Amino acid sequence: MNKKNKKIFNQELNFHHYGIAVRSYKNILKFYKNLNYSIGKKIIDKKQNVELILCTSKKYPTVELVKPISKNSPISRILKEQDTTIYHVCYEATNKNFNVNKFLKNFNYVCVSEPKPNIIFKKKYTGFYFIKDTGLIEILYN
C-alpha cells in the first residue's frame, strides 16, 4: 500500500465491528454475556438470508453474530467446515464522500455484495469486498 492510500485508510475508515458466523447462538451468547456485552435483539435480514444479533460493549469491540436462515445463505457455505468462525471485519467510512473504488483500486479484490441498505445499522449502506491476502471486509457507508 502506498503512502497516499495508507493516509486515506487511516483518515476515512474506522474500525466498526467484526462478524462471526454461527450455527447456534446458545453458547456464544453465554460467552459474550459473561464479558458484560449488551446483547441486541435478533434481526432478520431476508436480502442476505441471515439472522443477526449485535453485541456491544464499552470495553471491547462490537461483535455481529450472523446465523444463516436458509441453505442459500452465504453464511451456510462458511459454516461447512466449522460451527463458528470470525469471517469479516467491518470498517465505517467517516467521510460521506468516501470512494471505495478509489481506495480498493490498488488491491486485488472482488466485490462480493454491492452496497445495499443495512437493516441492523439503520440509515446506512453496506458492501462486502474480498481482498486477496487480507480476507473479507465490510464497508459501512452513510
Side-chain angles (χ1 to χ4, degrees), residues 72-122:
N72 296 331
S73 170
I75 302 305
S76 295
R77 290 189 302 272
I78 292 169
L79 292 172
K80 281 185 179 179
E81 306 279 327
Q82 306 172 49
D83 289 336
T84 305
T85 188
I86 295 174
Y87 79 100
H88 81 265
V89 177
C90 179
Y91 298 94
E92 183 173 17
T94 59
N95 177 345
K96 66 180 181 179
N97 297 319
F98 177 74
N99 184 327
V100 70
N101 293 321
K102 184 177 178 181
F103 170 69
L104 292 173
K105 75 178 183 177
N106 293 313
F107 299 97
N108 185 357
Y109 78 97
V110 174
C111 178
V112 176
S113 178
E114 292 287 335
K116 58 184 82 156
N118 187 298
I119 291 175
I120 201 165
F121 305 110
K122 294 174 177 42

Side-chain angles (χ1 to χ4, degrees), residues 11-75:
Q11 292 179 354
E12 294 188 324
L13 291 177
N14 287 333
F15 176 82
H16 191 269
H17 70 268
Y18 61 91
I20 301 178
V22 300
R23 288 187 204 273
S24 167
Y25 295 126
K26 185 179 176 182
N27 290 325
I28 200 161
L29 285 177
K30 286 181 193 175
F31 175 80
Y32 286 108
K33 284 178 184 176
N34 193 49
L35 289 172
N36 292 319
Y37 271 81
S38 295
I39 308 299
K41 295 180 182 180
K42 292 179 186 176
I43 296 174
I44 302 290
D45 185 339
K46 291 181 181 178
K47 290 181 181 179
Q48 297 190 57
N49 288 311
V50 295
E51 183 178 84
L52 308 164
I53 296 178
L54 196 65
C55 304
T56 57
S57 169
K58 291 181 181 178
K59 185 176 180 181
Y60 302 113
T62 299
V63 177
E64 179 183 38
L65 302 177
V66 184
K67 181 179 162 185
I69 58 174
S70 77
K71 290 183 181 180
N72 296 331
S73 170
I75 302 305

